[in-house]
Structures are given as C-alpha cells and as structure tokens.
Amino acid sequence: MKRYTILLPFIALLFAASCKETEPIITDMVELEEARPVYLPDSVSFKVDGKTYTTDNKGAISSLGFGNSGINYRLSDTLAEWYSTAGNRYWIGAADSVQYTSMYKKQLDGGNIGFTYIKNYRKSETMKDWMYLPKKDIGFYHLGKYNYALDFQRNNQQEGVAIEVRIDNVIFSGTSYTTKTLNQESTFSKIAQDDANFEILKIVDLKGTDFVRIEGKFEVNIFDSSEKKVLRITDGYFRSNVLKYGNRDSFLNK
C-alpha cells in the first residue's frame, strides 16, 4: 500500500536581489549567492533525435508530490504495514523501513517531464505524523551522481531518481523504469540505464526560505509500458527550486 500526495499547482515565492549598475562586479558567484541568493526560475531542457524541448518561460513548478511506500517487497501469507495483494497472498515491505519520494513535474510544449527523487530510510530516521517524513537534520538532496531506480513502484529496493516524460502530445510517452506491477512478469534489464547518467552539479541554499536550488545534467533511456525502449533523451539540463528536506506538508514545521 503506497501513500502519495499530489499538490497542484505550486508556486514558490522566493526573494530576489538586485544590484545597481554602478556597483562593482563580483566575480565570486558562490560567495554572492550565499550572501544574497537570487531567485532563478525552474528550467528543464533536453534533446530527442536532435530536437530541443524546453520548459523555459513556463513559470514555476507545474506540480509536485511526495509519498511513502515499502521497501524490498516479498510474498507473504500475512499482511504488514506496506502491502499489495497477490491473489491469496500479499506483497509486503520490509519491517522498520520506509521509502520516501519527492516528485517535481514541469510542463513542456505538448507534454511534461517529471523527476522523482527516491530515498530509503529506517523508520528511526524519519518523523511520523500522518506519514513518514525525513527528519530536518538529514539532508535529502546531495551533490554528485544518482542511480536510476529501475524497480521504482515495484520492488522498491533501489534509491536514486526516476523520470517520466510525455512530449509531442503523447507521440512519445514513457518512464526510466518499468511500469509493470509485481504481479506481472517483467524482462526489464538491469543494464537498461548503463549508458545513462543523472548528476546534481550545484546546490544553493536560498537563505531565509525552506528552499534550495539544485542544478544538474542528465541523459536517460525511456521505455513504454511493454518495456520497449521508445526514445533516448540527451543533453539534459535541469534547475529546480525545491524544498530542502524533500516535498512535505508545508504545515509541518517539526
């Protein structure tokens, strides 16, 4: 059983800094942003077969969501906190464990692209309200490379990132992972994303807010519901203003 929340629409109101033309040029941009972070809008761009797709000038985040699920699902005769049915039996998640996901989706011309960040926790590493949320002393995003979680929404063993995309009015639509359920046979290969990459290159703390700005690059293979590769995304770039501890109920300040 998976718990997932979608919030729509979402607009982050951050503050911007301005400079007079007569002020001296500051060359240390990292130091400048730490002192007076500048709001930059969300942006995603990438290529498919040489054609460029971009979310520029589409405004703020189109939608966001966050959710919980179990980890390392296995068949059982008895129920557990995390489960899905399998005939007379149940797929249950590992005890004392929980997966937390944070999703951002942006509009494209004729479609959208969504990024889901996935992290597995012991329950002691989370705080429990109406769902399990990462504690605020544990950072959710990190610099460097992310794996593509190939078993997302299936076994849920892997951490990392998952991508879903729809472009050209559903001429191309698919995901970086298999969408087959645990009750369906899958031949999805463990090497499906061996030639792909996803990396956060920069994290800027937007001081005075609950947000950080993450910037990075990606390339990814996209598969349809039959696990057939339908396109490859190259030269991907993303910039997102995200809640620093992962999407969460904004009314919870614990």
Side-chain angles (χ1 to χ4, degrees), residues 115 117 144-146 148 161 197-200 217-218 238:
F115 301 89
Y117 298 88
K145 295 183 178 181
Y146 280 63
Y148 282 102
V161 67
N197 67 79
F198 188 97
E199 185 173 2
I200 293 181
K217 63 181 181 179
F218 67 100
F238 64 92

Side-chain angles (χ1 to χ4, degrees), residues 201-228:
L201 301 171
K202 190 175 186 180
I203 301 177
V204 177
D205 188 359
L206 301 177
K207 296 187 182 299
T209 78
D210 292 326
F211 292 82
V212 292
R213 182 169 70 243
I214 59 176
E215 296 183 49
K217 63 181 181 179
F218 67 100
E219 293 193 354
V220 63
N221 301 314
I222 298 296
F223 300 84
D224 64 14
S225 59
S226 67
E227 302 181 339
K228 177 183 176 182

